[in-house]
Amino acid sequence: MNDNNFKVTIHMVSSLDGFIATNDGSVSWMESKDEYPDGVTLSDEDMEQFLKSVDCYVMGSGTYLHALELGWPYGNTPVIVLSSKDLKSKKESVSFYSGDLEDFVHEKLKPNFQNVWMVGGAMLTKEFIRKNLADEILITIMPVLLGDGKLFFDYIGKEQRLHLKDTKVYKDGMVELCYELIK
Ligand SMILES: NC(=O)c1ccc[n+]([C@@H]2O[C@H](COP(=O)([O-])OP(=O)(O)OC[C@H]3O[C@@H](n4cnc5c(N)ncnc54)[C@H](OP(=O)(O)O)[C@@H]3O)[C@@H](O)[C@H]2O)c1
């Protein structure tokens, strides 16, 4: 597979004050009742096309366990869960990995996939950025201040230059920013 087409995108939904989860794990804040008439909406076809374009989802065990509770949004697309625990899944599309993240990206992801989405959580995102393993960050900002919870960027400990690639504003007040990580 051609390395040039391999891309790891970190995607996260965040409050304006930078939280990706509330302390009680509620997700009601991810549904916006706001209205922004000049914004766009995604059609079902857009959504379908996007979902088809993702080759593999990667996530930490915290995110995986939460997704199992909330309802599986990843269909049959391959999902790789990072965990040091002996987790098992009945879903054929789910596999587990433990170990060095650089080996994971270069030996497990790169030869097998092109469009990889790293969907959280905060702990794993921080490691991907620290180790230069992500190519893009797509952040969806909800029109809400949560005031407390789990921070998206929780002291990464290094400066990372970004290039703003794209922005989208939705009719329900969500703002999407897509940044390329400059290497
Ligand atoms: N707003 C959003 O878009 C969004 C997205 C995703 C998640 N979330 C929320 O964020 C929370 C979860 O985030 P989190 O930061 O607590 O956890 P997380 O990043 O999902 O998972 C952290 C876990 O991943 C495993 N891990 C990390 N690096 C590893 C490595 N190199 N090898 C093996 N295992 C590794 C460890 O699991 P073990 O302890 O099993 O070893 C670690 O405890 C949930 O509440 C979720 O709902 C929100």
Side-chain angles (χ1 to χ4, degrees):
M1 198 165 283
N2 186 352
D3 267 10
N4 292 332
N5 294 325
F6 176 75
K7 187 170 76 173
V8 176
T9 301
I10 292 172
H11 179 242
M12 205 73 83
V13 181
S14 172
S15 63
L16 181 62
D17 52 349
F19 294 103
I20 61 154
T22 56
N23 288 326
D24 66 1
S26 101
V27 288
S28 57
W29 64 275
M30 288 193 190
E31 280 160 35
S32 169
K33 293 189 173 69
D34 194 18
E35 285 177 28
Y36 180 69
D38 289 344
V40 297
T41 40
L42 279 185
S43 66
D44 289 349
E45 290 79 41
D46 293 336
M47 256 331 264
E48 203 177 312
Q49 212 177 345
F50 159 72
L51 291 172
K52 270 191 195 154
S53 75
V54 178
D55 296 325
C56 175
Y57 294 98
V58 171
M59 66 192 69
S61 64
T63 300
Y64 168 67
L65 295 172
H66 207 208
L68 284 179
E69 268 173 43
L70 294 175
W72 194 246
Y74 308 108
N76 292 322
T77 303
V79 168
I80 307 179
V81 180
L82 289 149
S83 176
S84 59
K85 301 195 182 89
D86 188 22
L87 297 176
K88 303 252 184 303
S89 173
K90 285 183 187 149
K91 294 180 198 298
E92 274 184 27
S93 56
V94 175
S95 59
F96 298 92
Y97 181 90
S98 173
D100 183 76
L101 280 187
E102 270 128 346
D103 290 348
F104 171 63
V105 171
H106 296 294
E107 289 166 23
K108 198 160 168 77
L109 293 181
K110 234 180 206 174
N112 296 308
F113 306 105
Q114 290 194 332
N115 189 16
V116 174
W117 277 56
M118 219 292 287
V119 291
M123 205 184 276
L124 203 56
T125 300
K126 189 152 78 173
E127 289 308 307
F128 265 71
I129 295 173
R130 273 192 184 142
K131 293 177 192 289
N132 264 328
L133 296 172
D135 301 288
E136 283 183 9
I137 298 174
L138 184 73
I139 179 166
T140 306
I141 300 174
M142 301 303 298
V144 65
L145 295 168
L146 288 177
D148 197 4
K150 188 175 281 285
L151 278 172
F152 185 3
F153 296 113
D154 165 23
Y155 296 96
I156 292 168
K158 75 166 207 178
E159 182 177 313
Q160 172 65 59
R161 295 287 164 139
L162 303 170
H163 162 60
L164 180 64
K165 276 184 79 178
D166 198 12
T167 64
K168 268 199 198 91
V169 183
Y170 291 93
K171 274 204 187 311
D172 58 3
M174 293 188 326
V175 176
E176 209 169 78
L177 303 169
C178 180
Y179 292 98
E180 181 184 337
L181 284 89
I182 298 171
K183 304 215 172 159

PDB file of all heavy atoms in Angstrom, residues 124-144:
ATOM      1  N   LEU A 124      -5.075   8.856  24.869  1.00  0.00           N
ATOM      2  CA  LEU A 124      -4.440   8.320  23.664  1.00  0.00           C
ATOM      3  C   LEU A 124      -4.095   9.430  22.662  1.00  0.00           C
ATOM      4  O   LEU A 124      -3.042   9.404  22.025  1.00  0.00           O
ATOM      5  CB  LEU A 124      -5.386   7.303  23.019  1.00  0.00           C
ATOM      6  CG  LEU A 124      -4.719   6.271  22.129  1.00  0.00           C
ATOM      7  CD1 LEU A 124      -3.637   5.516  22.880  1.00  0.00           C
ATOM      8  CD2 LEU A 124      -5.757   5.294  21.617  1.00  0.00           C
ATOM      9  N   THR A 125      -4.972  10.410  22.564  1.00  0.00           N
ATOM     10  CA  THR A 125      -4.726  11.551  21.672  1.00  0.00           C
ATOM     11  C   THR A 125      -3.413  12.222  22.039  1.00  0.00           C
ATOM     12  O   THR A 125      -2.587  12.553  21.177  1.00  0.00           O
ATOM     13  CB  THR A 125      -5.874  12.581  21.810  1.00  0.00           C
ATOM     14  OG1 THR A 125      -7.074  11.957  21.455  1.00  0.00           O
ATOM     15  CG2 THR A 125      -5.640  13.777  20.929  1.00  0.00           C
ATOM     16  N   LYS A 126      -3.238  12.424  23.338  1.00  0.00           N
ATOM     17  CA  LYS A 126      -2.026  13.085  23.825  1.00  0.00           C
ATOM     18  C   LYS A 126      -0.778  12.307  23.394  1.00  0.00           C
ATOM     19  O   LYS A 126       0.191  12.881  22.910  1.00  0.00           O
ATOM     20  CB  LYS A 126      -2.119  13.152  25.353  1.00  0.00           C
ATOM     21  CG  LYS A 126      -1.077  13.980  25.988  1.00  0.00           C
ATOM     22  CD  LYS A 126      -1.548  14.572  27.293  1.00  0.00           C
ATOM     23  CE  LYS A 126      -1.528  13.583  28.433  1.00  0.00           C
ATOM     24  NZ  LYS A 126      -1.828  14.237  29.720  1.00  0.00           N
ATOM     25  N   GLU A 127      -0.838  10.992  23.511  1.00  0.00           N
ATOM     26  CA  GLU A 127       0.313  10.155  23.123  1.00  0.00           C
ATOM     27  C   GLU A 127       0.565  10.228  21.626  1.00  0.00           C
ATOM     28  O   GLU A 127       1.715  10.292  21.181  1.00  0.00           O
ATOM     29  CB  GLU A 127       0.077   8.696  23.548  1.00  0.00           C
ATOM     30  CG  GLU A 127       0.142   8.467  25.039  1.00  0.00           C
ATOM     31  CD  GLU A 127       1.421   9.029  25.653  1.00  0.00           C
ATOM     32  OE1 GLU A 127       2.516   8.689  25.176  1.00  0.00           O
ATOM     33  OE2 GLU A 127       1.330   9.840  26.598  1.00  0.00           O
ATOM     34  N   PHE A 128      -0.492  10.214  20.820  1.00  0.00           N
ATOM     35  CA  PHE A 128      -0.329  10.292  19.363  1.00  0.00           C
ATOM     36  C   PHE A 128       0.334  11.615  18.972  1.00  0.00           C
ATOM     37  O   PHE A 128       1.195  11.653  18.099  1.00  0.00           O
ATOM     38  CB  PHE A 128      -1.682  10.139  18.654  1.00  0.00           C
ATOM     39  CG  PHE A 128      -1.976   8.728  18.230  1.00  0.00           C
ATOM     40  CD1 PHE A 128      -2.265   7.754  19.171  1.00  0.00           C
ATOM     41  CD2 PHE A 128      -1.938   8.352  16.898  1.00  0.00           C
ATOM     42  CE1 PHE A 128      -2.516   6.435  18.796  1.00  0.00           C
ATOM     43  CE2 PHE A 128      -2.190   7.041  16.500  1.00  0.00           C
ATOM     44  CZ  PHE A 128      -2.482   6.090  17.453  1.00  0.00           C
ATOM     45  N   ILE A 129      -0.072  12.706  19.619  1.00  0.00           N
ATOM     46  CA  ILE A 129       0.508  14.014  19.270  1.00  0.00           C
ATOM     47  C   ILE A 129       1.955  14.082  19.751  1.00  0.00           C
ATOM     48  O   ILE A 129       2.852  14.494  19.015  1.00  0.00           O
ATOM     49  CB  ILE A 129      -0.347  15.163  19.846  1.00  0.00           C
ATOM     50  CG1 ILE A 129      -1.728  15.156  19.188  1.00  0.00           C
ATOM     51  CG2 ILE A 129       0.342  16.520  19.627  1.00  0.00           C
ATOM     52  CD1 ILE A 129      -2.726  16.131  19.777  1.00  0.00           C
ATOM     53  N   ARG A 130       2.183  13.645  20.987  1.00  0.00           N
ATOM     54  CA  ARG A 130       3.543  13.679  21.533  1.00  0.00           C
ATOM     55  C   ARG A 130       4.532  12.908  20.664  1.00  0.00           C
ATOM     56  O   ARG A 130       5.661  13.302  20.470  1.00  0.00           O
ATOM     57  CB  ARG A 130       3.559  13.027  22.917  1.00  0.00           C
ATOM     58  CG  ARG A 130       3.230  13.984  24.015  1.00  0.00           C
ATOM     59  CD  ARG A 130       3.573  13.323  25.331  1.00  0.00           C
ATOM     60  NE  ARG A 130       3.187  14.145  26.436  1.00  0.00           N
ATOM     61  CZ  ARG A 130       2.673  13.695  27.566  1.00  0.00           C
ATOM     62  NH1 ARG A 130       2.489  12.398  27.735  1.00  0.00           N
ATOM     63  NH2 ARG A 130       2.366  14.507  28.530  1.00  0.00           N
ATOM     64  N   LYS A 131       4.088  11.768  20.138  1.00  0.00           N
ATOM     65  CA  LYS A 131       4.977  10.886  19.376  1.00  0.00           C
ATOM     66  C   LYS A 131       4.916  11.169  17.873  1.00  0.00           C
ATOM     67  O   LYS A 131       5.449  10.382  17.087  1.00  0.00           O
ATOM     68  CB  LYS A 131       4.614   9.421  19.655  1.00  0.00           C
ATOM     69  CG  LYS A 131       4.909   8.986  21.086  1.00  0.00           C
ATOM     70  CD  LYS A 131       4.461   7.543  21.287  1.00  0.00           C
ATOM     71  CE  LYS A 131       4.436   7.106  22.715  1.00  0.00           C
ATOM     72  NZ  LYS A 131       5.677   6.907  23.388  1.00  0.00           N
ATOM     73  N   ASN A 132       4.261  12.266  17.469  1.00  0.00           N
ATOM     74  CA  ASN A 132       4.204  12.623  16.043  1.00  0.00           C
ATOM     75  C   ASN A 132       3.526  11.569  15.189  1.00  0.00           C
ATOM     76  O   ASN A 132       3.958  11.315  14.052  1.00  0.00           O
ATOM     77  CB  ASN A 132       5.625  12.778  15.492  1.00  0.00           C
ATOM     78  CG  ASN A 132       6.051  14.207  15.502  1.00  0.00           C
ATOM     79  OD1 ASN A 132       5.216  15.098  15.333  1.00  0.00           O
ATOM     80  ND2 ASN A 132       7.326  14.421  15.724  1.00  0.00           N
ATOM     81  N   LEU A 133       2.499  10.936  15.702  1.00  0.00           N
ATOM     82  CA  LEU A 133       1.880   9.830  14.973  1.00  0.00           C
ATOM     83  C   LEU A 133       0.554  10.224  14.302  1.00  0.00           C
ATOM     84  O   LEU A 133      -0.064   9.401  13.647  1.00  0.00           O
ATOM     85  CB  LEU A 133       1.646   8.644  15.920  1.00  0.00           C
ATOM     86  CG  LEU A 133       2.928   8.031  16.480  1.00  0.00           C
ATOM     87  CD1 LEU A 133       2.605   6.998  17.555  1.00  0.00           C
ATOM     88  CD2 LEU A 133       3.754   7.397  15.365  1.00  0.00           C
ATOM     89  N   ALA A 134       0.152  11.487  14.468  1.00  0.00           N
ATOM     90  CA  ALA A 134      -1.107  11.917  13.850  1.00  0.00           C
ATOM     91  C   ALA A 134      -0.803  12.910  12.740  1.00  0.00           C
ATOM     92  O   ALA A 134       0.173  13.654  12.797  1.00  0.00           O
ATOM     93  CB  ALA A 134      -2.010  12.556  14.897  1.00  0.00           C
ATOM     94  N   ASP A 135      -1.650  12.906  11.711  1.00  0.00           N
ATOM     95  CA  ASP A 135      -1.474  13.828  10.586  1.00  0.00           C
ATOM     96  C   ASP A 135      -2.437  14.996  10.663  1.00  0.00           C
ATOM     97  O   ASP A 135      -2.114  16.101  10.233  1.00  0.00           O
ATOM     98  CB  ASP A 135      -1.703  13.079   9.263  1.00  0.00           C
ATOM     99  CG  ASP A 135      -0.724  11.928   9.131  1.00  0.00           C
ATOM    100  OD1 ASP A 135       0.462  12.202   8.911  1.00  0.00           O
ATOM    101  OD2 ASP A 135      -1.140  10.758   9.304  1.00  0.00           O
ATOM    102  N   GLU A 136      -3.638  14.739  11.166  1.00  0.00           N
ATOM    103  CA  GLU A 136      -4.656  15.798  11.218  1.00  0.00           C
ATOM    104  C   GLU A 136      -5.440  15.735  12.524  1.00  0.00           C
ATOM    105  O   GLU A 136      -5.591  14.659  13.110  1.00  0.00           O
ATOM    106  CB  GLU A 136      -5.660  15.615  10.071  1.00  0.00           C
ATOM    107  CG  GLU A 136      -5.127  16.059   8.730  1.00  0.00           C
ATOM    108  CD  GLU A 136      -6.156  15.936   7.614  1.00  0.00           C
ATOM    109  OE1 GLU A 136      -7.356  15.665   7.876  1.00  0.00           O
ATOM    110  OE2 GLU A 136      -5.740  16.106   6.460  1.00  0.00           O
ATOM    111  N   ILE A 137      -5.946  16.900  12.915  1.00  0.00           N
ATOM    112  CA  ILE A 137      -6.897  16.960  14.038  1.00  0.00           C
ATOM    113  C   ILE A 137      -8.173  17.590  13.503  1.00  0.00           C
ATOM    114  O   ILE A 137      -8.137  18.686  12.944  1.00  0.00           O
ATOM    115  CB  ILE A 137      -6.380  17.829  15.203  1.00  0.00           C
ATOM    116  CG1 ILE A 137      -5.101  17.238  15.787  1.00  0.00           C
ATOM    117  CG2 ILE A 137      -7.449  17.976  16.287  1.00  0.00           C
ATOM    118  CD1 ILE A 137      -4.450  18.115  16.849  1.00  0.00           C
ATOM    119  N   LEU A 138      -9.271  16.858  13.652  1.00  0.00           N
ATOM    120  CA  LEU A 138     -10.577  17.411  13.285  1.00  0.00           C
ATOM    121  C   LEU A 138     -11.340  17.588  14.584  1.00  0.00           C
ATOM    122  O   LEU A 138     -11.648  16.609  15.272  1.00  0.00           O
ATOM    123  CB  LEU A 138     -11.318  16.440  12.366  1.00  0.00           C
ATOM    124  CG  LEU A 138     -12.643  16.952  11.832  1.00  0.00           C
ATOM    125  CD1 LEU A 138     -12.426  18.014  10.766  1.00  0.00           C
ATOM    126  CD2 LEU A 138     -13.455  15.814  11.238  1.00  0.00           C
ATOM    127  N   ILE A 139     -11.609  18.832  14.926  1.00  0.00           N
ATOM    128  CA  ILE A 139     -12.298  19.087  16.186  1.00  0.00           C
ATOM    129  C   ILE A 139     -13.669  19.684  15.891  1.00  0.00           C
ATOM    130  O   ILE A 139     -13.785  20.612  15.092  1.00  0.00           O
ATOM    131  CB  ILE A 139     -11.450  19.980  17.132  1.00  0.00           C
ATOM    132  CG1 ILE A 139     -12.212  20.261  18.431  1.00  0.00           C
ATOM    133  CG2 ILE A 139     -11.000  21.268  16.491  1.00  0.00           C
ATOM    134  CD1 ILE A 139     -11.335  20.832  19.534  1.00  0.00           C
ATOM    135  N   THR A 140     -14.681  19.096  16.488  1.00  0.00           N
ATOM    136  CA  THR A 140     -16.049  19.594  16.338  1.00  0.00           C
ATOM    137  C   THR A 140     -16.409  20.292  17.644  1.00  0.00           C
ATOM    138  O   THR A 140     -16.470  19.654  18.698  1.00  0.00           O
ATOM    139  CB  THR A 140     -17.030  18.430  16.082  1.00  0.00           C
ATOM    140  OG1 THR A 140     -16.558  17.672  14.970  1.00  0.00           O
ATOM    141  CG2 THR A 140     -18.425  18.942  15.799  1.00  0.00           C
ATOM    142  N   ILE A 141     -16.608  21.604  17.572  1.00  0.00           N
ATOM    143  CA  ILE A 141     -16.888  22.363  18.789  1.00  0.00           C
ATOM    144  C   ILE A 141     -18.393  22.553  18.942  1.00  0.00           C
ATOM    145  O   ILE A 141     -19.066  23.089  18.052  1.00  0.00           O
ATOM    146  CB  ILE A 141     -16.173  23.733  18.760  1.00  0.00           C
ATOM    147  CG1 ILE A 141     -14.665  23.499  18.643  1.00  0.00           C
ATOM    148  CG2 ILE A 141     -16.498  24.546  20.012  1.00  0.00           C
ATOM    149  CD1 ILE A 141     -13.859  24.758  18.468  1.00  0.00           C
ATOM    150  N   MET A 142     -18.906  22.068  20.073  1.00  0.00           N
ATOM    151  CA  MET A 142     -20.335  22.206  20.355  1.00  0.00           C
ATOM    152  C   MET A 142     -20.589  23.559  21.018  1.00  0.00           C
ATOM    153  O   MET A 142     -19.729  24.051  21.765  1.00  0.00           O
ATOM    154  CB  MET A 142     -20.795  21.103  21.330  1.00  0.00           C
ATOM    155  CG  MET A 142     -20.568  19.689  20.848  1.00  0.00           C
ATOM    156  SD  MET A 142     -21.338  19.322  19.270  1.00  0.00           S
ATOM    157  CE  MET A 142     -23.068  19.560  19.646  1.00  0.00           C
ATOM    158  N   PRO A 143     -21.764  24.141  20.771  1.00  0.00           N
ATOM    159  CA  PRO A 143     -22.054  25.435  21.391  1.00  0.00           C
ATOM    160  C   PRO A 143     -22.448  25.270  22.865  1.00  0.00           C
ATOM    161  O   PRO A 143     -23.615  25.397  23.234  1.00  0.00           O
ATOM    162  CB  PRO A 143     -23.207  25.981  20.536  1.00  0.00           C
ATOM    163  CG  PRO A 143     -23.866  24.780  19.978  1.00  0.00           C
ATOM    164  CD  PRO A 143     -22.841  23.705  19.863  1.00  0.00           C
ATOM    165  N   VAL A 144     -21.468  24.958  23.686  1.00  0.00           N
ATOM    166  CA  VAL A 144     -21.731  24.767  25.120  1.00  0.00           C
ATOM    167  C   VAL A 144     -20.428  24.959  25.905  1.00  0.00           C
ATOM    168  O   VAL A 144     -19.337  24.688  25.380  1.00  0.00           O
ATOM    169  CB  VAL A 144     -22.311  23.331  25.374  1.00  0.00           C
ATOM    170  CG1 VAL A 144     -21.315  22.244  25.044  1.00  0.00           C
ATOM    171  CG2 VAL A 144     -22.789  23.155  26.813  1.00  0.00           C
TER     172      VAL A 144
END
